[in-house]
Amino acid sequence: MNKEVLAHQILSTLHQAGFDAYLAGGCVRDRQRGFPAKDFDIATSAHPKDIIKLFERTVPVGVAFGVILVILEDQAFEVATFRREGNYVDGRHPGTVTFSSLEQDAKRRDFTVNGLYYDIRSKSVIDLVEGQADLSKKIIRTIGDPESRFLEDHLRMMRAIRFSVQLGFEIEKKTFEAIKKHASKIKLISAERIRDELIKTLTSADPELGIRLLDETGLSQEFLPELSKMKGVEQPMEYHPEGDVFVHTLLLLKGMKNAEMELAMGALLHDVAKPDTFQRAPDRIRFHGHDVLGAEMTKTICKRLAFSNAQTELIASLVLEHLRFKDVFSMRVSTLKRFMSLPRFDLHLELHRLDCLASHGKLEAYYFAKEKYEGFLKEPPPPLKLITGEDLIQLGFSPGPLFSEIIKKVEDQILEGSITNKKEALSFVIANFSHAKD
C-alpha cells in the first residue's frame, strides 16, 4: 500500500483515540514545494505508552524523547510526542525532554521550512514559525536565534548547508554568519554524523555549492582540512587552464549530479595529494606520485570519517587509478583487461570523464576505454585459473616468489587470447621458465 495512505491510517487511528496528530517536518515541506515526500513523520499529543497500546507493531527507538516507530505493512513511521527540550548538554542532545504542546514542539525544531505541520482533517497546513514565507522565498533560516540553535545542536550547521544544496535554497544571512562564528564546534560531533551529512551534500544535485559553503563557513577546515590546502596550488596551464587544484575540484563537482557516494568522495579527493607532491620542474609543474600518496591519504580521511572498509577501498581505488586512463591507447590487451576488471570500473570511467571536462576537455581516452569496456562486458570471462602451484611443483619448480610471477604471466597470456586451455598453459610455462627451475 502507498506509504502516504498508511501514514493517514496512523493519523486516523490517533484521531479516533482522541489525540491530536499531524504530518510533520520534511514531508509537509516537500508537499508544499510540489515534490513527492519520501518519509512521513507524525507529531502527536499521544504519549509513547498510548502509541504502543494503539498499534500492533511498534519499536521504542527513543521513548525518553517521545519517539516510537510504528510498523504498518513492513513500512516504518516515526511517531513523536509533542515535546519541549531542555538545555543541551553535549552539543547534540537535550539534557531533558518534557511532553508539551504543538506550539512548543514547533519552536524546538531546527529550520522554519522544517517546522510545518499538516492536518489531514482540515486539509490545511499549520505554520507557527513563518515556514511558508521562507519556502516561498527559498530561504533556510533557523527557528529563533541562530546562534542559540547551533549552540544547542552543532550538527545543525551542516544540516543547514545540506538543506541549502538539496532544496536549492539560500541560507539566510544571520544563519550563515552564525555558522561561520561557531564552525569550530563541529569537531564535537561524532564522525559518523559528520560523514552522513557530508555524503548527503555530495550526492545532491549541486555538490559544488555544498563544498563551497562548507569551505566559506569554515566547517570543512575542521573535519577535512586537506581541502583548504588545495587552494593556490598551481597546475600546468596546458593541462589545467581552469586554475588551481581547488578550482579544478570544484569544477569537477559542478559536473556531477546525484552521484553514488563512492564516486562523489573519489571526485572530491582525487587530487588530494597534489599540494604535498607539488614540484616546479624545469619543463613544467609536476605532481609525481600524487595518485599513490592520494590513495593513502584517502584511506586516512575515510577512516577519520568512519567509512566502512569496503567503501574506503573503492574510494581509494578511484583515487589511485585515476591517472591510468592516459595510457589506455598503449596498454597491452591483458593490461587493459586487468584495468577494466577493477571493481566498479564504471565509476572509474565516470571520474575520468568528469576530470577531463573540468580541465583540458579532451575525451578521447574516455570514449576509447568506454567502447572497450562495453565489449569486455559482453565477453565470457576467461578461465584465468588454468594452473596452480601444485601443477608447478609437478613440473619441477620449487615453491617461492617465482610461482606468483609464472601464474601472472600465464594469466596475461589467457587475457591476450594466446592460451585457452591447461595444456597450452603448461607448455607456455615449460617453454618460458624451465631455465628458472634451479
Side-chain angles (χ1 to χ4, degrees), residues 94-307:
T96 60
V97 169
T98 54
F99 300 144
S100 61
S101 64
L102 177 64
E103 290 74 17
Q104 290 296 330
D105 192 73
K107 289 179 181 179
R108 59 99 189 163
R109 294 178 180 266
D110 53 8
F111 305 107
T112 59
V113 296
N114 294 335
L116 302 172
Y117 303 83
Y118 184 76
D119 188 346
I120 65 169
R121 295 165 295 187
S122 62
K123 294 183 171 55
S124 62
V125 173
I126 300 172
D127 182 3
L128 305 172
V129 293
E130 299 183 4
Q132 292 187 97
D134 285 345
L135 273 179
S136 65
K137 290 184 285 188
K138 296 187 175 182
I139 286 177
I140 299 296
R141 183 200 312 270
T142 58
I143 296 173
D145 176 60
E147 288 196 43
S148 299
R149 305 324 301 273
F150 294 140
L151 288 174
E152 288 173 347
D153 182 350
H154 310 324
L155 190 63
R156 286 172 177 159
M157 295 186 287
M158 289 197 68
R159 283 169 58 82
I161 289 172
R162 190 246 295 181
F163 285 126
S164 174
V165 299
Q166 284 184 332
L167 303 177
F169 287 12
E170 184 178 350
I171 301 176
E172 180 265 336
K173 184 177 179 181
K174 288 183 179 179
T175 301
F176 191 80
E177 291 301 317
I179 297 174
K180 290 173 66 175
K181 182 176 179 179
H182 298 290
S184 64
K185 295 189 182 299
I186 199 66
K187 290 184 294 189
L188 302 175
I189 297 297
S190 71
E192 291 84 359
R193 292 289 188 179
I194 292 173
R195 175 203 64 209
D196 290 348
E197 291 298 327
L198 175 63
I199 289 172
K200 289 173 183 176
T201 299
L202 276 176
T203 56
S204 71
D206 199 353
E208 183 250 0
L209 174 62
I211 295 302
R212 280 188 186 276
L213 292 175
L214 287 170
D215 173 66
E216 290 172 9
T217 56
L219 284 169
S220 61
Q221 178 63 31
E222 301 300 329
F223 65 86
L224 198 55
E226 292 85 354
L227 288 182
S228 296
K229 289 182 65 177
M230 296 178 183
K231 293 180 180 179
V233 178
E234 294 179 68
Q235 300 188 101
M237 282 295 295
E238 60 267 39
Y239 297 105
H240 289 279
E242 73 282 1
D244 68 28
V245 178
F246 187 71
V247 169
H248 166 67
T249 300
L250 289 177
L251 279 174
L252 192 156
L253 295 176
K254 193 174 183 66
M256 186 177 71
K257 296 184 184 300
N258 306 118
E260 291 186 43
M261 179 273 293
E262 291 87 354
L263 174 61
M265 284 298 296
L268 181 67
L269 301 175
H270 77 289
D271 281 344
V272 69
K274 276 191 171 180
D276 292 327
T277 55
F278 176 89
Q279 287 184 325
R280 196 179 295 278
D283 54 342
R284 66 174 176 86
I285 293 170
R286 295 186 179 275
F287 303 97
H288 180 68
H290 84 270
D291 50 346
V292 176
L293 178 60
E296 292 304 312
M297 292 175 67
T298 295
K299 290 179 181 179
T300 299
I301 291 167
C302 287
K303 183 177 180 181
R304 183 199 311 157
L305 294 175
F307 283 88

Side-chain angles (χ1 to χ4, degrees), residues 47-59:
H47 287 200
K49 59 182 176 56
D50 303 315
I51 299 167
I52 292 170
K53 285 180 182 178
L54 283 171
F55 298 97
E56 185 176 341
R57 294 179 62 195
T58 60
V59 181

